[in-house]
Amino acid sequence: MLTAFARAFKTPDLRKKLLFTLGIIVIYRLGAHIPIPGVDYSNVQTCMDQSSSTTGLFGLVNMFSGGALLQITVFALGIMPYITASIILQLLTVVIPRLEALKKEGQAGTAKITQYTRYLTVALAILQGTGLVATARTGALFQGCSVASQIVPDQSIFITVTMVIVMTAGTCVMMWLGELITDRGIGNGMSILMFISIAASFPASLWAIKQQGSLADGWIEFGTVILVGLVMVGLVVFVEQAQRRIPVQYAKRMIGRRSYGGTSTYIPLKVNQAGVIPVIFASSLLYIPALVAQFAGGNSGWKLWIDDHLTKGNHPIYIVTYFLLIVFFAFFYVAISFNPEEVADNMKKYGGFIPGIRAGRPTAEYLSYVLNRITWPGSLYLGLIALVPTMALVGFGASQNFPFGGTSILIIVGVGLETVKQIESQLQQRNYEGFLR
């Protein structure tokens, strides 16, 4: 693997892409530590040391921002507005004919949908930025901190608007950086920024577990978490790479004097066909009531209920709702991303068939049957993996300090595998041996 890395850096154009990507990552991490105007940074650091209430939704959004949310920096909103906008556009594509037509127009239609995604990202960034400022002003961002209400000393309209504008601009800059990595770097720009955001919190989380431990100065707990993390990574890699291969044969056709077809191939149906999307869907949906509650003044009954039941990661109602939403969105996303009827029609058009299954409608019904069967274990696996930090809460006392679980491990492994495959494909084009054997 080290030899493959060396060969990648010896290739001029690939080395340029890797160095460009590393440069963008450095800029991104710098922006995650620059405070915005109107924030008392010393009080923020005091609350970071005193408060332990970063579980649940705030902990999740903080993870996506690489720790910038709780520090209220320029990139405090992270990549979450863009992810939410992309999800909304994907859902609207199914129900709005105009968007569905754009999706089928190829590159021009995709560019138009990307433009709509950017506009929606800005709108969501303004909404989430306003919610974050309101939360910081009331002191609810750090529960248990003595100076939480003094994080934003000046609560005038001008300072509030300035803070929202700066955070919205930070989100736009992050969008631009991600697109630069996609165009001029090694690709998957937004995914790589998300990968870096999550990986940046790993060292601090692991060291916090060591400091909180009591056995052999915390080294036993530290080693146990590392061991559990390796097992988790192995399990996630195993399931993410698992697939059900549907055999497909193509009949021979004579065109002139030449024979075409007669080949055998397969349709790969992954066990986790939806990837990490259902977890992000469920997290975004659960974030909406908490965001609405932050705008509501006073201590009304419904606001207190949301604060107690839907913002704390260890509450039974939150756990059950989160799990059921993940299972539902896993089936929902598979249904909108894989169309058995379209696949069956394309196979029939080119003379393909599944052995033992008639072409046309029986093929579509068979594909739907297999897809539903393998989506069940995939959705349950996603739900259980997403709840690993909550399970760690029992053993370690602070779920935000357990990095190897939930959304973090799914994104780390998924983006890591995809990035390695992209670099490997570029190495293979130059007759070099890649990362994967």
Side-chain angles (χ1 to χ4, degrees):
M1 183 173 177
L2 294 178
T3 305
F5 269 114
R7 288 175 176 173
F9 276 95
K10 287 180 181 178
T11 308
D13 54 343
L14 188 54
R15 180 178 65 244
K16 188 181 299 183
K17 291 181 178 180
L18 290 171
L19 293 177
F20 180 83
T21 302
L22 291 175
I24 295 296
I25 290 172
V26 171
I27 295 174
Y28 167 61
R29 290 306 300 161
L30 285 175
H33 289 84
I34 300 176
I36 64 174
V39 174
D40 191 327
Y41 194 65
S42 60
N43 287 339
V44 171
Q45 293 303 310
T46 302
C47 289
M48 291 284 291
D49 296 334
Q50 291 182 7
S51 177
S52 60
S53 180
T54 56
T55 59
L57 291 174
F58 283 137
L60 180 71
V61 181
N62 185 56
M63 178 192 70
F64 276 114
S65 66
L69 174 77
L70 295 180
Q71 298 184 38
I72 318 181
T73 62
V74 174
F75 291 162
L77 299 179
I79 205 71
M80 202 68 176
Y82 182 84
I83 295 173
T84 308
S86 301
I87 291 171
I88 292 174
L89 260 296
Q90 286 188 10
L91 296 178
L92 291 179
T93 302
V94 183
V95 297
I96 298 180
R98 168 62 178 164
L99 292 178
E100 187 176 3
L102 284 175
K103 187 178 180 181
K104 295 179 179 180
E105 288 181 4
Q107 187 175 358
T110 304
K112 200 70 176 177
I113 293 177
T114 302
Q115 188 177 5
Y116 294 155
T117 305
R118 292 171 183 163
Y119 294 151
L120 185 57
T121 300
V122 173
L124 291 175
I126 294 173
L127 180 64
Q128 294 183 13
T130 307
L132 177 58
V133 172
T135 306
R137 288 170 57 175
T138 58
L141 192 61
F142 294 99
Q143 297 180 3
C145 177
S146 57
V147 293
S149 59
Q150 302 174 19
I151 290 178
V152 185
D154 187 353
Q155 299 188 3
S156 63
I157 297 296
F158 177 76
I159 291 297
T160 302
V161 173
T162 302
M163 294 173 68
V164 173
I165 290 176
V166 170
M167 284 190 287
T168 304
T171 300
C172 295
V173 171
M174 286 187 63
M175 269 198 306
W176 179 58
L177 294 178
E179 291 176 359
L180 283 178
I181 294 178
T182 302
D183 295 337
R184 301 176 57 183
I186 57 177
N188 276 349
M190 297 301 175
S191 300
I192 288 178
L193 291 183
M194 198 186 309
F195 177 96
I196 296 301
S197 298
I198 298 171
S201 63
F202 271 41
S205 299
L206 291 173
W207 189 248
I209 290 175
K210 190 267 176 190
Q211 289 181 324
Q212 293 174 4
S214 57
L215 301 175
D217 291 333
W219 288 110
I220 293 181
E221 288 91 340
F222 181 83
T224 303
V225 170
I226 294 293
L227 183 61
V228 171
L230 292 176
V231 173
M232 291 288 299
V233 170
L235 173 65
V236 172
V237 170
F238 177 77
V239 179
E240 290 295 322
Q241 298 291 85
Q243 56 183 222
R244 167 75 183 273
R245 296 181 175 181
I246 307 296
V248 178
Q249 291 183 351
Y250 286 91
K252 286 187 177 181
R253 294 180 300 168
M254 295 297 297
I255 301 178
R257 295 184 178 181
R258 294 190 177 184
S259 175
Y260 294 90
T263 58
S264 298
T265 182
Y266 60 86
I267 301 174
L269 298 179
K270 297 180 65 176
V271 173
N272 182 22
Q273 188 85 0
V276 75
I277 296 296
V279 181
I280 299 176
F281 272 32
S283 304
S284 301
L285 195 60
L286 280 176
Y287 182 66
I288 294 175
L291 186 63
V292 173
Q294 296 304 322
F295 287 100
N299 293 319
S300 57
W302 66 272
K303 181 179 183 298
L304 294 175
W305 190 91
I306 290 176
D307 290 339
D308 292 337
H309 296 79
L310 294 181
T311 59
K312 296 179 180 179
N314 57 350
H315 197 281
I317 292 181
Y318 175 89
I319 294 173
V320 173
T321 305
Y322 192 35
F323 183 83
L324 293 178
L325 283 175
I326 290 174
V327 174
F328 168 76
F329 280 122
F331 279 92
F332 180 78
Y333 187 78
V334 169
I336 66 174
S337 62
F338 186 89
N339 190 346
E341 287 81 7
E342 184 178 349
V343 174
D345 290 341
N346 290 335
M347 289 171 53
K348 185 177 180 180
K349 185 185 301 183
Y350 294 103
F353 62 94
I354 299 174
I357 307 295
R358 294 183 61 184
R361 185 175 181 83
T363 299
E365 293 176 350
Y366 176 75
L367 290 175
S368 299
Y369 170 76
V370 173
L371 198 61
N372 288 331
R373 290 287 296 272
I374 65 174
T375 302
W376 269 114
S379 61
L380 296 177
Y381 143 82
L382 277 178
L384 292 175
I385 290 293
L387 293 177
V388 165
T390 304
M391 302 173 190
L393 181 63
V394 179
F396 298 100
S399 63
Q400 74 273 18
N401 289 332
F402 188 82
F404 298 105
T407 314
S408 60
I409 200 70
L410 291 170
I411 294 176
I412 287 285
V413 173
V415 177
L417 288 174
E418 186 64 29
T419 304
V420 166
K421 287 178 181 178
Q422 285 193 351
I423 298 177
E424 180 202 30
S425 65
Q426 298 193 37
L427 285 174
Q428 288 179 342
Q429 291 177 1
R430 298 162 180 83
N431 297 322
Y432 288 150
E433 189 173 9
F435 296 112
L436 304 180
R437 301 301 176 107

